[in-house]
Amino acid sequence: MKAIEIENLSFSYTKDQEVLKQLNLEIELGSHVCIIGHNGSGKSTLAKLIIGLLEAKSGSIKVMENEVNEKNIHTIREKVGIVFQNPDNQFIGSTVRDDIAFGLENRRIPQEKMDDVIDEFSKKVGMFDFLDQEPSNLSGGQKQRVALAGVLAMNPDILILDEATAMLDPKGRKEILTLVSKMKNDNPNLTIISITHDIEEAYLASRVVVLSDGKIMFDGIPNEVFSHYEELLNIDLDIPFLVRLKRELKNKGIDLDDAFNEEEAVRRLCQ
Amino acid sequence: MSVKFENVSFLYLPKTPFEHLALDGIDLEILDGTFTAIIGHTGSGKSTLVQHINALLRPSKGKVLVGDYVIAANEKKVNKLQELRKYAGLVFQFPEYQLFEETVLKDVAFGPKNFKDSEQVALEKAKKALSLVGIEEALFDKSPFELSGGQKRRVAIAGIIALEPQILVLDEPTAGLDPQGAKEMMSLFKTINERGTTVIMITHDMDNVLKYCDRAVVMKDGKIVKIEQPSELFKDEELLKEISLEEPHIISFAKKLIASGMNLELNDIKDFDSFIAQIGKARSVK
Amino acid sequence: MKNIALGRYVPYDSFLHRLDPRTKLLSLIALMVMIFFKFSSTAMNFFIYALLMIFIYALMRISHIKLKTLFKSLKAMWVMILFLLIINVLMPSTGPYFDIFGFKLYHNAIYNTLYIVIRLVMMIALTMILTTSTKPLDLTYALEWLLHPLKYIKVPVHEISMIISLALRFIPTLLEETERIMKAQSSRGVDFEQGKLKDKIRAIVSLIIPLFISAIQRSEELANAMEARGYDPSGQRTRYRKMQWQMKDTLSLVFIAILFGGMITLLITSFDLFLMMGIVL
């Protein structure tokens, strides 16, 4: 079984501009995939299509063998959780506690069981001490941690991060990324799809998909994808530090090609 | 003529349960024509600090001198407030949210008109500012809401640049832009700075601090903990740790190289190019 | 912006704070109705008002509201009270009057004005007691419970209560946003405090349009987030917040019911304490 199977997916908001063009993509269960692309490349649209917030014009999306359509929408949303970009606009409850409870209420979890779940997941994201706080007293990073707790409390098979760290400061960003990788360690079966601008985050993923103009431009392991240096710069994407370093040093006649991490690069440079 | 903070404190929402000392005894001087970075974590008082420069906030204690203008505590009115706001232009974080006019050109001309420029002069200034930020003429008569995110940001920044301020204050101007857009934005500010405008910028991006700024003001809990040249700042391991500041990637890598015996001059590393040049030099000497 | 403290929830641990919001809401309604009862004589009216005021003052003490706070919130009402007085004085009336240089100031006019002012003060005090002792969200739940029967005539009670609680959740966010946009426009030379009418209108437009646009964007993103987390307005949901009905709620309601019943009895029997005692005012 695949986590996501997308076939010939097309989508447009207006008649004359297609955002996604005949897209094909498969994502394995338990994998950690980063989807990168410049603004307007269609990456966030893709996330909304997967979770059924938008409807495809043509083509099909399957989430764990369930076709995404009106009839299956409840099943889809049980399997997929998503954290959006804006920390304020996805904080629904009046306190941290109520926000985590919101999804549980929708799931019709019995009230007696909710407190245990809320305690468990707020502890996991380090927000247990803030359970009775209102969102206006929390930082952006803390709100995103609450959003993550709210989504994980519903026990999804697939977690989509739709630029979840884009509006955070470096500290908040780091906290979220650490948290996500901890979640992944605790539950290796969790499929993570991270839509991101953060090129260093993408470099650490097991697979990178580059979207450009509604099509997949590159798809593969990070080292392979980022070897397409010029093409990526051409579509306004950044390059991971190590890749750029190796590239620019090579132009100077210093070859580090097989250095797979920074320590190795340091060792070779100082030989 | 400069920006000067003299023992400035700011009490947020005094006499309420939310009372909080956002600035605590700030002494700071920013010289004309410099490019200064204000850094520190969210909540350290950076935004509160810069909002004193054009008197959006008034000190609870102490005083702020901006050019010839004085903003002192306990004074109900700031003398020549409008003039001050033209002298020191402030670009807020995510400034695209302030757009409201029917066309791009009108929106940028809105500021100059408020400062009593005639319609014609305001439009001239607007056109100049728009071309400076790289918005082509074809977009002038479009609604600002039809533009892409990056274009909106430029238009909003042009709205302040059109005031032709002597001091340009920027609150995280590159947040949320894609890398290319951010780069263009930063070189725009450098150009403006080179024309003689003082630039004061709040940022979380240490690469930009290193590459563009003369000085960095480091804030924590409403206090200034350090004022330093960026290259010196990133050498101060203890401070970096104390305020959990992430140094630029090139600096952390260069430090690793130095630790492994390479002979690099940290002070000469400003950006990726100079970093590569340094490595090349060190290798060839060997 | 955050210091608009009127009627804002203040987290004390008083008897009133601990009461179930439903009890408080029902009692408020009952008391509000009682305020508007009109008894058989002027003296009787003022007597009952005095009793009610003492009771309300006691409630204020219990919920830690100072008289000063109440008067502060009445400040804005002075103009209205004056206006009411003038209207009442100018209205033709009957009965005894004071003759002030040929102008007939009827006793009734003074009484009527006083009634309105007293009712107003009591209404504000009662509302204040409710809102300072009850979290907005609990109030929403109580309201939803109260309106529950309307469900059967197809009133979307749940949706209404969800809308209210979301509005409450976003008020601080929107206030912050308002402040931010005002500052941003001030930096572009807008003067929100003074200026000619034309400038004032422009200033407000420069605030309202960005505010609307961001609110619309927020609501769209919020709707997405709610839907993605499985919210279905027509579907069944469980409830995390359970209201706890306790003995003290029952007793409080019984007390209010007795009070209410007593008043009704007085009203129906046209009982007049003063007439009985042979005092005629």
Side-chain angles (χ1 to χ4, degrees):
Chain A
M1 188 165 56
K2 303 266 193 248
I4 311 269
E5 286 166 275
I6 296 174
E7 262 176 55
N8 291 323
L9 179 70
S10 293
F11 180 82
S12 57
Y13 289 99
T14 55
K15 264 189 188 150
D16 41 317
Q17 232 183 356
E18 278 208 311
V19 183
L20 295 175
K21 299 167 187 162
Q22 299 277 316
L23 193 87
N24 288 293
L25 180 66
E26 279 185 3
I27 292 173
E28 304 288 330
L29 271 177
S31 61
H32 181 180
V33 181
C34 271
I35 300 180
I36 58 174
H38 56 91
N39 287 335
S41 61
K43 53 194 196 309
S44 284
T45 306
L46 182 61
K48 289 196 184 113
L49 283 161
I50 292 174
I51 197 155
L53 288 172
L54 293 173
E55 205 181 325
K57 295 286 176 289
S58 66
S60 82
I61 306 172
K62 281 190 193 138
V63 173
M64 302 173 77
E65 296 182 341
N66 297 282
E67 182 86 34
V68 177
N69 57 28
E70 193 117 4
K71 204 178 90 233
N72 279 337
I73 200 75
H74 288 292
T75 322
I76 302 297
R77 287 179 187 159
E78 269 175 35
K79 299 198 181 304
V80 190
I82 183 165
V83 178
F84 293 101
Q85 179 179 21
N86 192 315
D88 262 316
N89 299 351
Q90 60 187 319
F91 202 109
I92 299 154
S94 56
T95 65
V96 171
R97 198 184 276 289
D98 292 279
D99 191 61
I100 299 175
F102 178 77
L104 304 175
E105 293 175 324
N106 295 334
R107 262 316 159 68
R108 281 170 245 162
I109 307 291
Q111 194 251 356
E112 314 81 69
K113 289 191 185 155
M114 285 190 196
D115 269 321
D116 289 341
V117 180
I118 292 170
D119 287 356
E120 182 191 341
F121 285 93
S122 61
K123 271 180 195 152
K124 273 195 179 161
V125 301
M127 291 299 288
F128 182 68
D129 294 333
F130 298 86
L131 276 179
D132 290 308
Q133 292 285 343
E134 291 175 14
S136 48
N137 300 329
L138 303 176
S139 72
Q142 287 174 323
K143 282 180 217 168
Q144 289 302 68
R145 269 146 67 188
V146 175
L148 202 56
V151 167
L152 292 171
M154 309 214 288
N155 202 15
D157 298 291
I158 301 165
L159 172 66
I160 302 180
L161 302 168
D162 183 3
E163 302 203 42
T165 60
M167 287 178 76
L168 305 182
D169 64 6
K171 190 167 153 240
R173 186 171 305 160
K174 223 174 177 176
E175 281 169 5
I176 295 290
L177 292 180
T178 317
L179 208 52
V180 169
S181 60
K182 201 183 100 200
M183 299 294 155
K184 180 72 182 154
N185 276 339
D186 290 356
N187 177 10
N189 293 327
L190 184 67
T191 310
I192 297 177
I193 304 170
S194 177
I195 292 165
T196 183
H197 258 153
D198 187 343
I199 225 72
E200 298 299 333
E201 182 199 341
Y203 196 50
L204 298 175
S206 55
R207 176 178 164 198
V208 179
V209 175
V210 182
L211 273 189
S212 175
D213 278 330
K215 282 187 225 150
I216 291 176
M217 193 175 189
F218 301 111
D219 181 357
I221 56 164
N223 266 326
E224 184 191 305
V225 168
F226 289 116
S227 66
H228 302 280
Y229 195 90
E230 258 83 40
E231 290 101 318
L232 292 176
L233 283 180
N234 272 338
I235 58 165
D236 282 358
L237 284 178
D238 227 347
I239 302 297
F241 177 78
L242 190 60
V243 178
R244 186 167 175 198
L245 180 76
K246 287 198 282 193
R247 181 80 181 199
E248 305 237 338
L249 285 175
K250 201 172 182 181
N251 291 343
K252 286 224 157 214
I254 305 168
D255 199 344
L256 295 176
D257 252 359
D258 50 349
F260 47 87
N261 64 20
E262 281 189 29
E263 279 59 43
E264 180 64 20
V266 170
R267 206 182 55 76
R268 291 173 133 268
L269 274 169
C270 294
Q271 254 171 12
Chain B
M1 297 267 268
S2 57
V3 178
K4 209 166 173 187
F5 283 70
E6 287 177 3
N7 193 25
V8 171
S9 294
F10 180 75
L11 198 58
Y12 178 71
L13 293 177
K15 291 181 197 157
T16 71
F18 307 100
E19 182 179 298
H20 156 65
L21 193 60
L23 292 182
D24 185 2
I26 298 285
D27 283 304
L28 172 67
E29 187 172 9
I30 294 170
L31 295 177
D32 275 351
T34 53
F35 198 136
T36 304
I38 316 267
I39 59 184
H41 284 298
T42 309
S44 59
K46 305 180 303 269
S47 290
T48 310
L49 181 84
V50 298
Q51 285 177 30
H52 278 78
I53 298 175
N54 73 345
L56 285 173
L57 296 174
R58 318 267 165 89
S60 312
K61 233 175 68 191
K63 67 179 164 190
V64 184
L65 306 158
V66 179
D68 296 330
Y69 308 95
V70 184
I71 310 146
N74 310 323
E75 268 174 45
K76 269 217 175 112
K77 273 187 91 173
V78 177
N79 226 347
K80 299 182 186 159
L81 180 65
Q82 287 295 85
E83 270 181 48
L84 163 65
R85 290 202 172 145
K86 187 175 171 338
Y87 182 81
L90 193 154
V91 178
F92 264 76
Q93 201 180 354
F94 300 109
E96 50 274 26
Y97 286 118
Q98 73 198 28
L99 303 176
F100 76 102
E101 283 276 20
E102 293 147 42
T103 70
V104 167
L105 192 61
K106 270 192 183 176
D107 202 285
V108 178
F110 176 68
K113 266 198 285 187
N114 285 328
F115 290 113
K116 308 286 177 258
D117 277 336
S118 71
E119 183 86 22
Q120 209 185 346
V121 174
L123 287 177
E124 281 306 311
K125 285 183 176 172
K127 280 179 192 163
K128 231 167 91 186
L130 280 167
S131 81
L132 194 62
V133 300
I135 295 285
E136 62 250 49
E137 264 192 76
L139 298 177
F140 284 8
D141 290 324
K142 280 206 167 186
S143 157
F145 304 113
E146 286 171 34
L147 306 181
S148 76
Q151 287 170 331
K152 276 187 206 165
R153 176 77 56 93
R154 285 155 191 267
V155 171
I157 290 176
I160 296 295
I161 290 176
L163 307 178
E164 299 175 347
Q166 291 299 302
I167 299 167
L168 181 62
V169 185
L170 304 152
D171 192 346
E172 291 192 53
T174 59
L177 291 182
D178 54 34
Q180 199 53 39
K183 236 177 254 169
E184 286 168 25
M185 197 67 86
M186 284 311 301
S187 53
L188 166 72
F189 300 140
K190 189 71 198 166
T191 313
I192 290 172
N193 175 240
E194 278 163 357
R195 290 182 186 176
T197 309
T198 311
V199 180
I200 301 167
M201 175 178 73
I202 294 179
T203 185
H204 285 298
D205 188 330
M206 294 306 135
D207 292 328
N208 286 340
V209 174
L210 182 67
K211 184 168 180 184
Y212 297 101
C213 299
D214 317 315
R215 271 199 328 169
V217 175
V218 185
M219 294 195 65
K220 192 191 176 191
D221 301 330
K223 293 192 182 103
I224 292 178
V225 282
K226 190 107 190 177
I227 304 173
E228 187 68 276
Q229 277 180 19
S231 50
E232 290 298 321
L233 178 72
F234 296 125
K235 283 185 197 163
D236 192 340
E237 303 291 344
E238 223 167 277
L239 180 75
L240 293 180
K241 214 169 181 182
E242 186 199 325
I243 53 172
S244 59
L245 196 74
E246 212 168 319
E247 54 199 342
H249 215 140
I250 44 177
I251 294 292
S252 66
F253 194 80
K255 282 179 183 168
K256 283 185 200 163
L257 288 175
I258 293 170
S260 299
M262 188 180 278
N263 188 16
L264 288 180
E265 188 48 64
L266 265 187
N267 281 354
D268 293 339
I269 297 177
K270 289 272 173 208
D271 52 16
F272 214 95
D273 292 340
S274 54
F275 169 60
I276 295 291
Q278 277 282 316
I279 296 179
K281 205 170 110 197
R283 295 267 301 192
S284 63
V285 170
K286 209 169 170 187
Chain C
M1 287 307 245
K2 278 185 185 161
N3 45 11
I4 319 172
L6 279 187
R8 197 177 154 144
Y9 175 70
V10 187
Y12 282 110
D13 189 26
S14 76
F15 176 76
L16 282 174
H17 281 75
R18 286 190 303 264
L19 276 184
D20 188 288
R22 287 169 292 186
T23 311
K24 286 186 267 188
L25 191 63
L26 285 175
S27 307
L28 176 87
I29 293 169
L31 282 164
M32 288 271 196
V33 172
M34 283 186 240
I35 289 172
F36 283 90
F37 283 168
K38 206 161 184 186
F39 296 94
S40 46
S41 72
T42 310
M44 194 62 191
N45 274 334
F46 281 115
F47 176 66
I48 298 288
Y49 280 155
L51 285 185
L52 278 174
M53 280 203 279
I54 293 169
F55 180 58
I56 291 171
Y57 178 67
L59 292 180
M60 281 172 64
R61 287 299 294 267
I62 294 173
S63 54
H64 298 260
I65 302 172
K66 293 188 189 96
L67 270 180
K68 214 171 81 187
T69 327
L70 176 66
F71 287 130
K72 245 193 211 160
S73 69
L74 285 172
K75 242 189 201 161
M77 302 278 174
W78 282 126
V79 186
M80 205 167 117
I81 290 172
L82 206 67
F83 183 69
L84 282 170
L85 183 69
I86 292 170
I87 294 263
N88 271 310
V89 165
L90 294 181
M91 288 272 266
S93 184
T94 52
Y97 57 84
F98 300 115
D99 195 325
I100 306 173
F101 305 115
F103 178 78
K104 289 176 182 167
L105 179 59
Y106 290 96
H107 293 185
N108 276 343
I110 299 172
Y111 295 150
N112 282 335
T113 313
L114 274 177
Y115 288 161
I116 295 175
V117 172
I118 291 171
R119 285 173 188 163
L120 206 67
V121 171
M122 288 201 284
M123 272 165 66
I124 291 172
L126 282 173
T127 316
M128 213 170 192
I129 291 166
L130 180 73
T131 51
T132 41
S133 69
T134 319
K135 284 186 192 148
L137 199 67
D138 288 338
L139 212 52
T140 321
Y141 289 148
L143 202 65
E144 185 179 356
W145 170 83
L146 188 70
L147 297 178
H148 196 263
L150 296 182
K151 244 185 192 158
Y152 300 105
I153 54 165
K154 300 263 189 296
V155 176
V157 175
H158 166 72
E159 282 88 335
I160 292 173
S161 114
M162 180 56 89
I163 289 168
I164 298 175
S165 56
L166 284 175
L168 291 170
R169 147 76 186 87
F170 275 91
I171 284 173
T173 312
L174 287 178
L175 283 179
E176 238 168 67
E177 183 110 334
T178 309
E179 190 180 329
R180 228 175 59 95
I181 295 171
M182 278 175 83
K183 279 180 175 174
Q185 303 299 29
S186 297
S187 302
R188 295 211 277 169
V190 174
D191 192 339
F192 284 97
E193 277 150 34
Q194 43 199 329
K196 282 176 271 172
L197 184 67
K198 198 180 135 226
D199 298 334
K200 274 251 163 80
I201 292 173
R202 267 184 86 68
I204 299 221
V205 169
S206 78
L207 169 66
I208 296 282
I209 293 181
L211 202 56
F212 266 163
I213 285 175
S214 111
I216 290 167
Q217 195 188 340
R218 271 184 204 284
S219 60
E220 193 184 326
E221 288 182 15
L222 181 71
N224 277 343
M226 289 172 72
E227 229 185 287
R229 279 165 73 180
Y231 179 68
D232 177 0
S234 57
Q236 276 291 318
R237 305 177 76 223
T238 47
R239 242 320 142 64
Y240 173 57
R241 295 275 177 190
K242 277 261 158 73
M243 291 179 279
Q244 284 283 324
W245 193 268
Q246 291 160 303
M247 197 54 176
K248 56 175 172 265
D249 293 299
T250 313
L251 291 176
S252 302
L253 270 193
V254 166
F255 176 74
I256 293 287
I258 292 172
L259 197 64
F260 196 83
M263 294 267 193
I264 295 275
T265 318
L266 291 182
L267 206 60
I268 292 174
T269 55
S270 301
F271 178 82
D272 193 331
L273 184 72
F274 299 92
L275 203 64
M276 252 180 70
M277 286 158 57
I279 308 165
V280 182
L281 282 169

